[in-house]
Amino acid sequence: MPEFTQIKLDKADGIATITLHRPEKMNAFTRTMMDELIAAVDDTDADDSVRAVIVTGHGDRAFCAGADLTPEGGGHVFSDPNPVDDLSDTRVRDGGGRLTLRLFNSQKPLIGACNGVAVGVGATMQLPFDIRLASDNARFGFVFARRGITPEAASSWFLPRLVGMQKALEWCMTGRIFDAAEALDAGLVRSVHPQGELMDVALGLAREIADNTSAVSVAMTRAMLWRLSATEHPMMAHRVDSRAIYRLSRSADAREGVASFLEKRAPQYPDKVSDNMPDFYPWWHEPDYR
């Protein structure tokens, strides 16, 4: 397992927990944190024992207070430190976007446990999570217009899909801070919980996935729902659905799923994400800009 300085990665009983850990800075985001979060997701993807990943922040005040406005080594807070004249150059990379694209490509389900303030990249990094929970003291803010910049982390793609265009525009154009109740009402989070119960709920969801589902089925389902819901016609989904159900219905996991149901016992799925994904996975083509 990699060594980390600004996050923690813990694994137990098939569940990994990634904790943003800069308590002196309310877990503010830095390039080091970006690199470590990407490395942590690389690690959990490669570990077949990990069935679900929870992402949270250290303490009871903040998930992530946004970008550290006093960055390591000085220089630009929000943009790549290397000046580039040609803005079509792929070296012009937003750090939050590099992170969310890696989260988007995770093969393991991601559960966010937002334990406090989440503004700027602290909010946008949560958008690729599959399930987002919040504590009752959580606060969110897409504050970019109040800093003279624009939304980042591919949030212009993610946010309208989660909460609709009107709410996404309102939150981003006003840049105001809003509470967990408003986030729940808009669909940004799945549920709101007392601070002391948040991690127990997140662990319960992760446990439900880990104990009852096929890792290959979940990885395929995650990729299909995120990608195919954005295509221009349902035929695109039908094509991938058809290939997926054909391949997976002949798998060892499918045999075990049927047998365990008929025998009224807990399943023991043998297939692994590292070895047993369908032969056409990944079916999409996207540039690797990492």
Side-chain angles (χ1 to χ4, degrees):
M1 186 183 300
E3 292 187 5
F4 301 114
T5 61
Q6 297 189 3
I7 69 168
K8 292 184 176 181
L9 174 60
D10 301 294
K11 301 176 186 177
D13 300 323
I15 298 170
T17 301
I18 298 172
T19 305
L20 313 185
H21 192 262
R22 296 188 74 214
E24 75 286 357
K25 288 289 189 89
M26 296 179 67
N27 306 322
F29 185 79
T30 68
R31 294 183 188 282
T32 296
M33 181 180 285
M34 176 200 74
D35 288 337
E36 292 185 359
L37 286 168
I38 290 171
V41 177
D42 288 345
D43 182 275
T44 56
D45 265 4
D47 187 343
D48 284 320
S49 72
V50 172
R51 294 298 322 284
V53 181
I54 298 169
V55 185
T56 192
H58 173 83
D60 58 9
R61 294 181 59 206
F63 173 81
C64 173
D68 189 340
L69 298 182
T70 56
E72 305 143 305
H76 294 280
V77 175
F78 301 112
S79 60
D80 193 299
N82 301 312
V84 177
D85 292 329
D86 179 5
L87 294 184
S88 67
D89 193 310
T90 58
R91 290 179 296 165
V92 181
R93 299 294 307 283
D94 149 46
R98 291 177 62 192
L99 172 59
T100 56
L101 289 173
R102 182 62 188 91
L103 295 168
F104 179 69
N105 283 320
S106 171
Q107 292 183 310
K108 308 298 171 67
L110 303 174
I111 299 171
C114 183
N115 56 303
V117 173
V119 298
V121 69
T124 58
M125 77 164 71
Q126 297 185 55
L127 301 181
F129 297 167
D130 304 298
I131 304 170
R132 286 165 301 281
L133 313 175
S135 60
D136 51 12
N137 69 322
R139 298 291 183 272
F140 300 87
F142 298 91
V143 298
F144 308 100
R146 297 194 180 202
R147 305 292 181 268
I149 55 172
T150 57
E152 38 66 85
S155 53
S156 57
W157 190 91
F158 287 108
L159 187 59
R161 283 171 169 77
L162 296 174
V163 302
M165 185 61 76
Q166 180 171 263
K167 183 58 71 174
L169 285 166
E170 177 194 339
W171 282 347
C172 292
M173 290 193 300
T174 65
R176 64 180 173 82
I177 306 295
F178 55 94
D179 62 17
E182 183 173 341
L184 176 64
D185 184 64
L188 181 63
V189 299
R190 172 260 200 189
S191 51
V192 178
H193 307 274
Q195 177 72 244
E197 299 175 11
L198 179 65
M199 284 303 294
D200 287 341
V201 177
L203 285 165
L205 280 169
R207 185 84 273 140
E208 187 171 1
I209 294 169
D211 292 347
N212 299 294
T213 67
S214 153
V216 172
S217 295
V218 168
M220 276 297 295
T221 298
R222 184 183 194 278
M224 290 163 67
L225 288 174
W226 270 115
R227 287 174 170 80
L228 298 175
S229 63
T231 57
E232 68 273 12
H233 193 282
M235 179 56 76
M236 306 299 292
H238 175 60
R239 290 171 179 168
V240 177
D241 291 353
S242 299
R243 295 171 73 187
I245 196 70
Y246 181 85
R247 288 286 189 264
L248 267 62
S249 68
R250 288 155 174 76
S251 69
D253 275 5
R255 290 192 293 274
E256 172 61 10
V258 172
S260 61
F261 174 76
L262 294 175
E263 295 166 12
K264 297 181 171 58
R265 60 173 174 79
Q268 298 292 324
Y269 293 108
D271 287 344
K272 296 178 172 58
V273 171
S274 60
D275 296 324
N276 302 113
M277 295 297 286
D279 55 2
F280 66 91
Y281 174 92
W283 67 89
W284 63 91
H285 301 283
E286 60 187 31
D288 181 5
Y289 285 150
R290 269 209 289 162

